[in-house]
């Protein structure tokens, strides 16, 4: 991580904190107004629950219409869930059927991805909290209407807030992406330090790349959702400035990714050279500059002061001159060309960082070569398709989503059984009568903890337990101090804000503040009673045990999905290479026609960039699943070395393709050796026999292509070998099998 910007400072200027503040305000306002002005404490709580259900769908990133549609769906489905649950609660048998059925139905919404999962959880949350107080049939309508009005208030409030603060939201999303880019560059710098372990550096790089991919997609969805129209209005100038920064950030990432090399060979060839250290120091400074720029973007400030990397670049030039005098261009032309290419890319990265800083000072530059808003950029936005067929096609035992829904339904049913047993146990009723009426908290804990993957459930389980324990301890301390009601209310509001803000940053801390928030609510509802703290802790422990135990029912082990993800990643790299070669061909034809940069060339370049985005997403999905598998029990893992090598070689391959294609686009034609190398790479990715060239031309401009082309062939060969090593297991083991490896 870049040390120049403290994590706490990043957090408070990020869209996580800003979004948490917005969500907490929208959820608490109905409760504060109804209870504070009218004294309707119970109605205020119900309205806040309805608002909280809608707030779950109010996530940063994505086109605004998707957010509004998601919140509207949460409002309608949540209100229907409230009515159904309220009516069923008055019938002893119906509630035992309705709760598991709703848990299954809403858990199946995970087939629609992140937003589908959030929608399902929002409905399950309002279902569980409706169970808190038994309702008569006469009360159900009033309860549902109050919950609906609370959710409707939040929907209107959120729409207005987004309308007014759109620029601030886009700035913060872009800032998070810039911070992630800075972290990625800093991690890249580790490879040039001969004293740091390469394997550990690769692990850190892959994790940072996955985080950066998510951050870039969120920023892309925010910045590109409404492009500048070329007018002179203030809003259009602000949009143009953010668009320029985003495009420059992507260009900077391209330059960074394209510097990938065989670092082990580089370290062996230049073990005592200061050239590697100068590259490392230059990249660290650039990472610091990007980190500072990210902070200033979040603070709406201009970036003027930057760390200069001129000293490192000049020192690297001197080292290259020394190597030239030692005859390296003749003894090892590929290595020398590689070092020259690294120097060029560092210069290019420096210019791009300076340009980004200039854009923050002058949001509407007059340079004619700056990227302009183009409708083709809309193709880079995330698309969410809600098709009924996607849901029905997953209603079978082999589907991971179906298995997850079954697990959640069984866990909810067991939670009700345990809650009912506690309610009818004489010892429990005599020691703490309140335990009998709080079984809904066990169900809520189960729903919060359980995730589609076993590793995520176990990880979330530990975080939840630790957070609840700390939160209960803090609440006991606060209750012992006997503070004023006003101060307790202030702590309650702060806990709500931090609970919403930290949920995507640090789940344990989020659990701490959410526990504190809930216990403070009960402190206001039942003043002077501290037994609720122990009840919450016991319920959470019971829910955690049930959630972890039920994770072994029809489990979906990551090993069953990695084969498909590996094939998807190979196909994505294959398409990335084909798209790049199509762009090269379009660039050559445009030059021959005397129209360089024409429409067809721009279209081919856009398609290639779309392929590059898809490669990053496929790689992140594969890497995330691999690391989740590593968190699962050892006997549930398989082919760890092969999957690890696939991850590393795909990363190297994508980096070399990104480095080769722009250079090929500048050539009018390529020699036979280079053409054969490209063909061999394509054949290997297609799992066909390949004939790598005996010699790759290294004269003139071709020297810079020889090394990355060799790395592409080497990476493709290893990808083919490792993919073939998976075939026997893939053919023997049925998809979705939950048996031992």
């Amino acid at each position: 991580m870049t040390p120049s910007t403290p994590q706490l400072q990043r957090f408070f200027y990020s869209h996580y904190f800003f979004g948490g503040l917005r969500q907490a305000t929208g959820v608490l306002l109905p409760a504060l107004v109804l209870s504070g002005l009218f004294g309707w404490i119970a109605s205020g709580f119900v309205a806040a629950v309805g608002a909280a259900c809608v707030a779950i769908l109010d996530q940063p990133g994505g086109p605004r219409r998707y957010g509004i549609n998601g919140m509207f769906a949460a409002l309608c489905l949540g209100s229907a869930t409230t009515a159904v649950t309220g009516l069923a609660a008055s019938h002893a048998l119906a509630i035992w059927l309705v709760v598991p059925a709703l848990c299954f139905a809403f858990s199946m919404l995970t087939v629609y991805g992140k937003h589908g999962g959030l929608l399902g959880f929002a409905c399950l949350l309002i279902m569980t909290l409706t169970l808190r107080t038994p309702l008569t049939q006469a009360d159900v309508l009033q309860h549902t209407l109050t919950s609906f009005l609370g959710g409707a208030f939040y929907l209107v409030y959120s729409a207005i807030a987004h309308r007014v603060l759109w620029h601030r939201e886009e700035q913060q999303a872009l800032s998070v992406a810039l911070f992630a880019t800075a972290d990625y560059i800093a991690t890249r710098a580790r490879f040039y330090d001969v004293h740091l372990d390469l394997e550990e550096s690769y692990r850190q790089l892959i994790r940072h790349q996955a985080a950066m991919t998510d951050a870039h997609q969120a920023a892309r969805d925010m910045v590109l959702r409404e492009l500048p129209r070329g007018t002179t209005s203030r809003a259009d100038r602000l949009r143009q400035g953010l668009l320029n920064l985003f495009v420059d950030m992507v260009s900077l990432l391209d330059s960074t990714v394209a510097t990938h090399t065989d670092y082990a060979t580089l370290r062996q060839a230049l073990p005592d050279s200061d050239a590697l250290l100068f590259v490392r120091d230059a990249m660290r400074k650039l990472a610091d500059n990007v980190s500072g720029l990210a902070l200033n973007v979040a603070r709406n400030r201009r970036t003027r002061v930057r760390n200069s990397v001129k000293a490192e670049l000049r020192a690297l030039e001197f080292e290259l001159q020394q190597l030239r005098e030692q005859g390296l261009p003749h003894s090892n032309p590929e290595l020398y060309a590689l070092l020259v290419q690294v120097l060029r890319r560092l210069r290019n990265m420096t210019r791009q960082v300076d340009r980004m800083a200039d854009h923050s000072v002058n949001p509407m530059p007059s340079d004619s070569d700056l990227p302009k808003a183009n409708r083709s950029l809309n193709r880079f936005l995330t698309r969410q398709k809600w098709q009924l067929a996607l849901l029905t096609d997953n209603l079978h035992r082999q589907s991971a989503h179906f298995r997850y829904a079954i697990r959640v339904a069984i866990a909810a049913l067991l939670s009700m059984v345990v809650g009912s047993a506690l309610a009818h146990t004489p010892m429990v009723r005599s020691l703490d009568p309140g335990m009998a009426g709080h079984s809904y908290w066990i169900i809520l804990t189960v729903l919060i903890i359980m995730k589609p993957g076993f590793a995520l459930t176990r990880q979330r389980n530990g975080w939840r337990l630790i957070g609840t324990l700390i939160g209960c301890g803090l609440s006991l301390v606060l209750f012992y101090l006997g503070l004023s009601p006003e101060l307790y209310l202030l702590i309650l509001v702060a806990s709500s804000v931090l609970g919403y803000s930290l949920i995507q940053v640090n789940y344990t801390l989020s659990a701490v503040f959410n526990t504190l928030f809930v216990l403070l609510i009960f402190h206001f509802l039942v003043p002077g009673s501290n037994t609720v703290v122990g009840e919450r802790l016991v319920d959470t422990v019971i829910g955690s045990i049930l959630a972890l135990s039920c994770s072994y029912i029809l489990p979906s082990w990551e090993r069953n999905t990695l084969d498909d993800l590996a094939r998807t990643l190979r196909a994505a790299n294959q398409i990335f290479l084909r798209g790049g070669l199509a762009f090269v061909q379009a660039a050559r034809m445009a030059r021959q026609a005397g129209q360089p940069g024409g429409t067809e060339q721009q279209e081919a370049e856009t398609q290639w960039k779309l392929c590059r985005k898809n490669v990053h997403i496929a790689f992140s999905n594969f890497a995330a699943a691999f690391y989740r598998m590593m968190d699962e029990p050892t006997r549930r893992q398989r082919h760890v070395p092969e999957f690890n090598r696939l991850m590393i070689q795909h990363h190297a391959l994508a980096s070399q393709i990104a480095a080769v294609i722009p250079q090929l686009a500048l050539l009018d034609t390529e020699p036979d050796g280079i053409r054969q190398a490209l063909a061999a790479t394509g054949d290997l990715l297609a799992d066909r026999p390949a004939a790598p060239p005996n010699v790759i031309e290294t004269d003139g401009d071709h020297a810079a292509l020889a090394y990355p082309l060799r790395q592409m062939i080497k990476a493709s060969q290893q990808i083919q070998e490792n993919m073939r090593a998976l075939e026997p297991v893939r053919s023997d083991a049925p998809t979705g099998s939950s048996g031992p490896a």
Side-chain angles (χ1 to χ4, degrees):
M1 304 291 280
T2 52
S4 58
T5 306
Q7 293 299 310
L8 191 61
Q9 192 176 24
R10 290 191 186 192
F11 169 70
F12 281 114
Y13 281 107
S14 70
H15 65 289
Y16 299 116
F17 179 75
F18 187 75
L21 180 62
R22 183 186 66 245
Q23 288 173 301
T25 303
V27 170
L28 291 177
L29 268 178
L32 294 176
V33 170
L34 292 178
S35 60
L37 296 182
F38 302 101
W40 300 342
I41 298 178
S43 297
F45 178 82
V46 174
V49 170
C53 173
V54 177
I56 291 175
L57 274 294
D58 188 15
Q59 299 294 324
R64 190 72 226 124
R65 64 180 182 275
Y66 290 166
I68 295 295
N69 292 342
M71 287 188 286
F72 182 74
L75 175 63
C76 296
L77 278 179
S79 299
T81 302
T82 302
V84 171
T85 306
L87 291 173
S90 59
H91 298 83
L93 179 60
I95 194 64
W96 287 82
L97 297 175
V98 167
V99 170
L102 290 177
C103 288
F104 175 83
F106 289 131
S107 297
M108 280 297 299
L109 294 181
T110 55
V111 299
Y112 297 113
K114 177 184 176 182
H115 288 88
L118 290 174
L119 177 59
F121 176 73
C123 295
L124 291 177
L125 173 66
I126 203 167
M127 175 203 74
T128 308
L129 294 178
T130 303
L131 297 173
R132 173 179 172 269
T133 304
L135 299 174
T136 64
Q137 291 189 1
D139 295 332
V140 170
L141 179 59
Q142 180 182 353
H143 188 95
T144 303
L145 181 60
T146 305
S147 175
F148 176 84
L149 292 176
F153 166 80
Y154 187 91
L155 178 61
V156 175
Y157 157 82
S158 177
I160 295 174
H162 283 291
R163 184 74 175 177
V164 174
L165 302 172
W166 66 269
H167 181 61
R168 185 68 178 154
E169 292 177 350
E170 292 186 7
Q171 281 181 314
Q172 290 170 332
L174 185 59
S175 172
V176 171
L178 286 168
F179 274 128
T181 306
D183 292 338
Y184 181 78
I185 296 173
T187 308
R188 279 275 188 181
R190 290 174 52 91
F191 289 96
Y192 296 96
D193 192 332
V194 296
H195 302 295
L196 297 178
D197 181 63
L198 274 179
E199 288 295 328
E200 176 60 25
S201 297
Y202 265 114
R203 282 191 289 269
Q204 290 193 26
L205 182 73
I206 289 170
R207 292 183 187 276
H208 282 305
Q209 178 167 334
M212 181 182 63
T213 300
D214 292 340
H216 275 229
Q217 188 59 50
R220 183 180 290 111
D221 289 340
M222 291 284 284
V223 174
L224 302 185
R225 67 186 180 187
E226 190 168 352
L227 296 170
R229 302 171 183 174
T231 65
T232 58
S233 65
R234 180 177 179 274
D236 214 48
R237 291 197 302 271
L238 294 176
R239 290 192 178 96
Q240 183 67 60
L242 292 177
L243 178 62
N244 290 338
L245 275 175
F246 174 79
V247 172
D248 286 340
M249 178 183 68
V250 174
S251 299
L252 174 63
L253 176 61
D254 292 343
S255 298
T256 307
V257 170
T259 58
H260 186 91
T261 184
D262 187 346
Y263 298 103
T265 302
L266 195 61
R267 291 181 177 189
Q268 292 174 1
L270 301 171
D272 301 320
S273 175
D274 289 336
L276 300 185
L277 297 182
F278 294 138
V279 176
R280 180 202 65 184
D281 294 342
M283 294 189 73
R284 285 180 176 176
K285 280 190 174 182
L286 289 173
D288 289 343
N289 289 341
V290 176
S291 180
L293 174 64
L295 182 62
N296 285 333
V297 168
R299 295 188 298 187
N300 199 26
R301 295 183 182 179
R302 307 306 185 198
T303 301
R304 296 184 181 276
V305 180
R306 301 182 296 276
N307 296 325
S308 174
V309 296
K310 291 182 179 179
E312 286 76 14
L313 294 179
R314 289 173 179 170
L316 183 57
E317 291 173 356
F318 177 77
E319 289 293 324
L320 287 177
Q321 182 180 351
Q322 295 291 101
L323 293 173
R324 271 198 308 272
E325 294 175 357
Q326 295 171 11
L328 184 64
H330 300 287
S331 62
N332 195 338
E334 292 182 17
L335 178 61
Y336 179 75
L338 172 64
L339 292 174
V340 171
Q341 185 182 26
V342 170
L343 175 61
R344 289 174 179 172
R345 296 217 175 258
L346 282 176
R347 288 173 177 164
N348 190 31
M349 290 170 64
T350 303
R351 288 193 295 269
Q352 288 167 338
V353 173
D354 290 343
R355 181 169 171 169
M356 291 165 68
D358 292 338
H359 283 172
S360 71
V361 176
N362 181 17
M364 195 67 174
S366 57
D367 297 3
S368 59
D369 63 333
L370 285 176
K372 301 298 181 182
N374 192 297
R375 289 301 169 188
S376 64
L377 293 175
N378 286 326
R379 286 179 283 180
F380 289 88
L381 293 172
T382 302
R383 304 297 180 185
Q384 181 68 56
K385 294 182 179 180
W386 296 79
Q387 298 175 342
L388 182 61
L390 186 60
L391 182 65
T392 56
D393 289 346
N394 279 273
L395 292 175
H396 55 83
R397 187 175 180 273
Q398 286 71 33
S399 169
H401 303 286
F402 180 83
R403 289 166 165 259
Y404 168 64
I406 289 291
R407 288 197 300 274
V408 173
I410 293 175
L413 184 61
L414 290 177
S415 300
M416 296 176 67
V417 171
V418 173
S420 179
L422 290 175
H424 293 86
T425 301
M427 182 179 296
V428 174
R429 298 179 67 177
S430 61
L431 291 176
D432 186 5
M435 283 291 294
H438 293 161
S439 61
Y440 73 93
W441 192 266
I442 302 176
I443 302 176
L444 181 61
T445 301
V446 166
L447 296 177
I448 290 175
I449 291 176
M450 292 198 73
K451 294 296 174 184
F454 176 86
L456 289 177
T457 299
R458 186 172 66 176
Q459 189 180 56
R460 181 69 68 97
N461 200 353
W463 290 343
R464 177 75 177 179
L465 280 175
I466 294 172
T468 301
L469 182 62
I470 296 174
C472 289
L474 288 176
S475 62
L476 285 175
V477 172
L478 289 175
F479 298 157
Y480 176 78
L481 293 176
L483 304 176
S484 64
E486 292 78 11
L487 193 53
Y488 278 133
L489 181 61
L490 181 62
I491 297 174
L492 183 147
V493 173
S495 299
S496 177
V497 172
L498 292 174
Y500 275 111
S501 303
L502 289 165
I503 196 165
Q504 297 185 53
V505 179
N506 189 312
Y507 187 80
T508 301
L509 286 177
S510 176
V512 170
F513 289 109
N514 282 329
T515 301
L516 189 59
F517 169 69
V518 170
L519 293 175
L520 284 170
I521 289 178
F522 281 104
H523 180 73
F524 279 105
L525 294 175
V526 188
S529 176
N530 293 338
T531 58
V532 69
V533 178
E535 294 167 3
R536 287 295 156 269
L537 183 58
V538 171
D539 290 340
T540 301
V541 171
I542 295 174
S544 298
I545 294 173
L546 288 174
L548 188 59
S549 300
C550 291
S551 296
Y552 290 93
I553 300 175
L554 294 176
S556 299
W557 305 110
E558 295 296 338
R559 65 183 186 184
N560 298 325
T561 63
L562 274 170
D563 285 349
D564 289 337
L565 291 174
R567 288 193 291 271
T568 300
L569 179 55
R570 181 173 65 176
N573 256 325
Q574 202 175 352
I575 296 173
F576 185 40
L577 176 60
R578 287 204 300 262
L581 294 178
F583 164 59
V584 170
Q585 187 65 24
R588 292 172 180 173
M589 293 178 63
R591 283 199 302 272
Q592 293 174 2
Q595 297 178 341
T599 304
E600 293 185 0
Q601 180 179 346
Q602 290 180 359
E603 174 63 21
E605 185 176 11
T606 299
Q607 289 293 339
W608 184 54
K609 290 180 178 180
L610 278 170
C611 296
R612 179 188 60 199
K613 185 199 80 168
N614 294 334
V615 165
H616 289 323
I617 293 174
F619 179 82
S620 296
N621 292 337
F622 177 80
F626 173 76
Y627 284 121
R628 286 197 300 268
M629 184 184 74
M630 297 305 295
D631 290 333
E632 293 176 346
T634 305
R635 66 191 183 93
R636 301 297 181 181
Q637 303 171 11
R638 70 171 180 84
H639 283 302
V640 173
E642 286 80 4
F643 285 129
N644 185 59
R645 286 194 290 268
L646 279 172
M647 185 168 56
I648 293 174
Q649 294 306 321
H650 272 296
H651 185 270
L653 176 62
S655 298
Q656 299 301 354
I657 293 175
V660 164
I661 294 301
Q663 297 181 64
L664 285 174
L666 298 176
L667 303 177
D668 292 330
T669 185
E670 66 267 358
D672 291 337
I674 293 178
R675 188 180 301 108
Q676 292 174 15
L678 294 169
T681 302
D683 290 336
L684 289 168
L685 288 176
D687 199 19
R688 295 192 298 263
N694 296 323
V695 178
I696 298 179
E697 291 77 7
T698 58
D699 56 312
D701 294 335
H702 301 151
L705 289 169
Y707 181 84
L709 286 172
R710 293 188 193 281
Q711 293 300 309
M712 286 170 58
I713 295 174
K714 178 181 176 182
S716 301
Q717 288 173 335
Q718 293 195 21
I719 289 171
Q720 185 186 62
E721 293 172 2
N722 286 283
M723 288 296 294
R724 288 180 175 178
L726 305 179
E727 290 178 0
V729 175
R730 186 171 66 240
S731 60
D732 294 339
T735 304
S737 174
S738 59

